[in-house]
Every structure is written in C-alpha cells, then in structure tokens.
Amino acid sequence: MRKLALSDDILMQVEKPARYIGNEVNSVMKDKNKVDVRFVMCFPDVYEIGMSHLGIQILYSMFNAWEDVWCERVYSPWTDLDAVMRREHIPLFGLESQEPVKNADFLGITIQYEMCYTNILQVLDLAQIPLLAKERGEDMPIVIGGGPCSYNPEPIADFFDLFYIGEGETQYRPLLDWYLENKKRGGSRLDFLKGAAKIPGIYVPQFYEEVYKEDGTVKERKKLCEEAPDKILKEIVTDVSDCHYPMKPVVPFIKVTQDRVVLEIQRGCIRGCRFCQAGQLYRPVRERDVDKLKEYAVEMLQNTGHEEISLSSLSSSDYSKLDELLDFLIDECGRKHTNISLPSLRIDAFSLDVMSKVQDVKKSSLTFAPEAGSQRLRDVINKGLTEEVILKGAALAFEGGWTRVKLYFMLGLPTETEEDIRGIGDLSNKIAATFFDTVPKDKRVNGKVQIVTSTSFFIPKPFTPFQWAPMCTKEQFLEKAYQTKQGIMAQLNQKSIKYNWHEADVSVLEGVFARGDRRVARVILEAYRRGCIFDSWSEYFHNDVWLSCFEDCGLDIAFYTTRERADDEIFPWDFLDCGVTRAFLLREWKKAQSETVSQNCRSQCQGCGANRFGVGVCTESD
Amino acid sequence: MKIRIKFAKYGAMKFIGHLDMMRFFQKAIRRAGIDVKYSAGFSPHQIMSFASPLGVGLESTGEYMDIEVNSMTTTEALKEALNGAMVEGVEILSVGVLPDTVKNAMASVAAASYRLQSKNGAFAIPNPEETVCAFYAQETIPYTKETKKSVIQLDLKQGIYDVRMETGASLFMTVNASSSGNIKPSMVFEKLCEFAGAEIPAAAYQITRLETYTDLAGEGAPHRFVPLSACCTEESQAECY
Ligand code: SF4
C-alpha cells in the first residue's frame, strides 16, 4: 500500500484530508524506477478548483499515455495545512507518489488567473524549490508556466525557467525528448534551457532583459543569448478532432467545482468581443468532429461514473453541429440517468427547447451577458447582443415557465458614460416588465420574477483591442457601482431586481498584473514574504499589505492601470505572438472608439492574422 | 430487488468521509454497469442506504450498504463487477439478496464491534487486562456528551455489550451502534483512560470497525446479534477477516 506523505495526525487535523491523499479513480500510478521523466502538474489553488480544470486533465492523460513519463498532480495546500507544512518543514508532495515535488524533473504550473500569483510562490516555497529561477541548482525541477496568463508572463518571469506559450498538446514531446537527450549527453541545466529556447512556443525568460525608457515604458528587449528567438509564436493544435483527449479523467472523492464529464466541443470563438482575451488568444475557431464527441461522451461517462456531463467552449451556440450533439446526448443521458449542464448558450427558441428537456425550468435560471447597459456601449465592445434579442428571448423563456434571470454587465468599459450605466437598470427593469406583460397573473409561479443583475469591473487585458485602454481607479469603480445601484433602485420593478457587484481592490491589482512588466515581480515576491496567499479568496486578500508592498518597492499602481497608452507604445508582451496581429488589434481599438462593430469570423473575416495557421474557421468555405 | 453489500475500508480511504463514500459508490455502481434503480425526477438518484456512518480516520471490515437493482445475473458477478470499479482501500467482501421484508441497512443496525490497536505496539494503560475488567465491572460509566446544541448525560455501561483486551496490545469492544444509542469507540476509550488515570494519546491508536450487527431478538429479550449480512437469503462467498 502507498505510504502517505502526511501522518494520520496531520490528516486528522486539517479540513478535507481527501485533498492530499491522491488515490482517486483514474489517477495513474507508475513505478518510478521504470520511467525516465517525472512531471508534476500543478494548479496553484485549492484542490477543488484545480481538479475542475480541463487543461490539466488533458495534459495529465497525455503525459501518462507515454510509457517513459509519469505525470502527477499537486495543488495549493489550503491555509491550515500550509501552516503545518511550514512549521514541520514537510516538503510539498505529488498526490500520486506522495513523494517530494522537488524530486521530479519538471514542475508544470498552469496559470489561469492573475490572482493566483502568490500561490505559485507558495507552491515553490513549500516544495523547497528556490523562488527565483536563476537561483535553482542543477538538481532542481525545471519549472514551466502555461495557460492564459503566460501571454503576459513578465510579472512572474523571474519565477519560471520557461513558459510554454499556446496549446500544450504539440511541443511537450519534443521538449521532453530534448531533456532526455541533454541528460544523456551530460548537459547542464543551462544547456537544456538553451536547447529548449529553440523549440517552437518555448520562452526562456532569463535569456532576455527588459530595458525601460525614462517614462517607465518598455524601450526594448535585449537578448542575452543567441539561442533565444526574437518572437515566440503560440503553439496551436491543427486538428482538434485528432488530438489527445482524456478518456479517463481523474474522479475526485470530494465535491469539486466541476464535478462532471466535460466535453470540449471547440476551441476559440468567432465573436471578437473587444474586452475578451480568450476570444483573441485561441483564434481561430476549430470545431471537434461531432461523431468523435459522441464517442467521447459515452466512453467518458462509462469510465468515470459521473452523473453529469457538460459542454465546454467559449460560445457553444456557435458550434455548427450543436443540435445533432444535443439530440444524441439527451437520448443517451436520458437512458443513463445522467444530467446535462449547458453553459453559455444564446437564449433563443432552440436553446430554450433544449434546456426545458434537460433541466427543471422552475429551478433553473436564464443567463444573459449583455456586458454593457446601452446599445452604444455594446457596439463599442462589439458585443452583438441587442436589447430586442434579449427581450424576445426573455419573453419566450417566461412563456416556457422560467422565472429567474441572471444578467451580467461590466463597469468601467472604455467610453462609458452615466447614461450607459443607467441602461443597466433600465434593461433589468424592462426584463421584469416583460415578465408581467407575458405571463398572466394566474399563471405566475410564486407570483413573481427574480432578476439578478451582477457587475464586474472591466480590466484591460493583453492581446485585446482594449490593451491600450486606461482602466478605472478604485474610486471610479465604486462610484459606478453606486450609480448602478441607484439606477436599479429608481426602477418601477426594483423589487424584482437584486444587484451584486464585485470587489474593487482586487480588480485594481488584477489590472496591474495583467499588463505589468518584469518590475512587478518584486512586489509579488514581497507580498508573498509578508504572508499573502490565496488572494483570489476574499477572506485572505489583504489589500493594505499589497499597497504597502507597491510603495516599498517604489512602483506606481496608476502607471499600470489608469495610464493611457500611446498607439505605438511597446508592451511587455509584444515579443509574444498569439496569431492575431497588433495591427488588427489597433484597428479594432480605433473602431471601438468610433462605435463601429465588426462582423464575426463566419459572416466576414476581419483579417486578424490568425489565418496564418491555415486551420479552422479561416479555411471554412461558404 | 434489494441487494446488501458488505465492504471493507482501509488505508488512505479512511480519510474519505461518509457522504463522499456515498458519492464514490454511486459512481462506482455506474462504472460497474449495474442495473441499479433510480428515483424519478429531473435529477434522479440511486436508491441507496448505508448502515452506519463510519467516522473519518476509522478503518472497517464490516461496512454495509443496500441498493436496489432492476436486474442482475448472480451476486458473485455483481461482486466482481463492483470490485473492478473500486480503488485501493475499498474492497467488496460479499453481496447478498435481501428479502423484501427486511428493513433497510440503516434501520437494521443495532451494534458494532471495534478493535482499537496501538500504532506503536505499546498500550498506554498499565495492567490492561485487569484494568479493562475492572472498568467494565463498574455499575455505571457516566459520559457527558457535548454537542453544539446541548450537553447530554449518558451511561455508556448500557450500550457496551462487550469489552476486553486482545493479544497484541489491542482493545476489542462491541457497543450499541443504533441510530438512537450509538456509542463511539473513542468515547469508551476515553473513559477507560480516565478510569486508569492514563492520558489519552491522540491518534496513537487505529480504530477498526470489525462488524456491524442487527439484533434478531424481540423487544425486551436478550440481544441476539448477527452480522447484517445474515439477513440475506443468498450470499456470495464472504472473505474471512
Ligand atoms: S483570420 Fe479571419 S476568420 Fe480567421 S480568425 Fe481571424 S478574423 Fe476570424
């Protein structure tokens, strides 16, 4: 039997010991003496969040399908265990082998959101791996970063030996092969990194230096080693129907956020909303073959025993064979007592019909994401959702028996005025009014409609048309939230509308990290040293500590957030190429300012540059 | 058809709580392709009853759960299919068919036996054999049970049916495990240590539930404890523990 890394004593002391014991169904055990490479895959947040992430399941399964590799998992120990491990100097361990992470060849960390940055340091620290890449000795694992935040890796560049830019399915094998080859040759860590820098999609931060102008913006990037390329193009899977998919995903014992089979139906999005980073990063859209998906669904449900299946994509309604797939799933799942969860569907007659088949209408809610309160601002952000469409969808839904509606908006979008903000209350009210107009009194379940309007604060992200846009200050954000609340309170149907808004402090910090440069690393390191971890958990977020760290490191928050960027400013992430050109993004930024919408990829190609990959929607003939 | 399943739980699995074990079995039953009965409605669930929740940290060789199936071939085949869907630390020991008249697992539980084993081979109480005898010979063993809502005075003596030392520095006991009068083995050990004037060493002992019993005796008659599996009309070979 496996020996656990933690004693019974400790496991009995901490909350949810199941987070740390591994042994889950479909987790992979191998003989460590019979593999050549040991890889530990990390999601730097608590187990329940990390285990819900599809990307790790894909890579975990792909790595373990290779006979010479053993891939394990590790997540951030929760604060209770964190304290025990520090006190007793217990090194962080992989869930499978229960052996120290520092014994592995690689530690791969997926970076899904900026607010996990201090948790990256927590993981390294508990693993007893030096926090700074340049301080790591020959025997330390190679620390790799990946995921959406690696598209501006500079604020965390010092902590990583290398970043993998783009989709993980393509270059890991060559990277591991080079690792083995280098080891055989007796090459050093530096030799490995030099060779790795030549592999497509691999970025080795220590081979570059960022040079700044007097005004603090980036002047240039200096290469410190010949092997380092000037530009790094993201990696992309050409045929998504023919790439690795995890047929036996790991099934956790405890309830996790995503406790179901996940079918990724496509990658990318045709829409081009101007605030959305994912919509640009994963271009072009590539659909998975519907017959493959049907096979996957059956096999994965069988292999996991999950009671639920869900579709994953940025905009499921745009998947061209959606009706065929859903017909199949409804039939298959009906026979197998399996639930279907349907996120991100456009509300129309088709989706309502499907939803009424798979969920309890009385208990479920409809979701609209207009993102902005007025048509003018929706044009600015290129969100092709009109009030007419929303109200029509809502009316249809109310007729179908739904009584709950969730609305999502952003505050602080470029060019936003008080009138746009008032539009949020107006639209919420109109939806409530639609309910009272469509549903006769005697047919109203509980007699009422429930509208939940939520706002988040807009944060400009790299590789979006809004990467040039100034972000609001905390005070502006809070004022906007206040105006929104007032706007809702003034409505006739205000009793049917509940308003939620997001924390402003954490948004400001996220804004700094999103568009930060290498200097920001100092602040992150300092905040970690002063005890910041789990910043995405409001109970552990200490804004005052962060503010004092910025001050003590001599870094100005406003420089990164509210500052207006010139059209030709060099951004810290400009050396990366996500396929979409800077010229296209700038064009879109200008179009946004003139309130001009752009067509989606299927209606009319916008020449974003991603057609250079020669795949997906760019090659669809009409 | 009602099926009673007996299983063991040990190793890392002792850290998986009761509700998570239920979720684990629901998924395992689906993986094993068992034709289990579901409730009606939008989120159908399997019809399942666990005998008695096992505390986190405890191991067991006598856990029970009842399920209902629409069809099956043999109990042996069902056992094999289920074992194929287990992980290290959970093992299906036997599968049997229950007569429709038998109460479900949870309602049937009357008692359970436990073994408390020192992890380092030493038992913290001097002269354990005599001490345990003297402990059990007491007229009453008062115990104050504090819950979030109330403080209850119990007499453990009523619910301890057997307690004695075994070879190998381990303590054996059979105690009430019914939903109304459940006694945790740790409660008995706590009182025993107190009686012997010894300190309670935290987590130096591994407690194992050995068997779960139902009582075949009628109201007022002396107990006739038999394992819950004895209620089955047809049973696959049970492994001996
Ligand atoms: S090149 Fe055209 S079709 Fe292809 S992703 Fe860009 S805008 Fe869409």
Side-chain angles (χ1 to χ4, degrees), chain A residues 331-352:
Chain A
D331 185 53
E332 179 73 16
C333 294
R335 276 189 285 119
K336 292 192 177 151
H337 306 278
T338 306
N339 300 318
I340 305 176
S341 85
L342 295 171
S344 77
L345 280 191
R346 212 175 311 126
I347 306 297
D348 55 22
F350 166 73
S351 64
L352 288 171

Side-chain angles (χ1 to χ4, degrees), chain A residues 269-270 283-285 580 584 599-602 604-612 615 617-619:
Chain A
C269 179
I270 58 168
R283 282 186 174 216
V285 163
V580 168
F584 163 75
Q599 299 286 307
N600 71 54
C601 295
R602 285 222 172 87
Q604 190 192 16
C605 170
Q606 300 295 309
C608 76
N611 60 346
R612 78 179 94 164
V615 295
V617 67
C618 315
T619 60

